[in-house]
Amino acid sequence: LNTGAVNESETMPLTGQSIVFTGTLSQLARLQAEALVRAMGGQISSAVSKKTGYVVVGENPGSKYVKAQSLG
């Protein structure tokens, strides 16, 4: 039976995830990308840590990319 209810994991797939952007994004302005992440329940972080869920890597990434690689 489909009640038409939407599962929160479908509308907020990034809930509880910390997202870090590094480098220049080619398709969106940084603020637009951050707004999309927030709309899907994610949190924006300015630093990479063990708690980071995802690192979005654009062109010419900086030290955040290197740190993310070292943390696996």
Side-chain angles (χ1 to χ4, degrees), residues 16-72:
Q17 296 293 322
S18 175
I19 314 298
V20 175
F21 289 92
T22 184
T24 304
L25 304 178
S26 63
Q27 299 294 316
L28 294 172
R30 177 75 52 106
L31 291 177
Q32 290 174 308
E34 290 176 354
L36 287 172
V37 167
R38 287 187 183 101
M40 291 186 278
Q43 298 175 343
I44 303 301
S45 179
S46 61
V48 175
S49 73
K50 290 181 182 180
K51 294 181 181 181
T52 301
Y54 298 95
V55 177
V56 179
V57 180
E59 292 181 40
N60 301 313
S63 61
K64 293 175 190 175
Y65 177 63
V66 174
K67 183 165 184 181
Q69 286 182 313
S70 72
L71 291 173

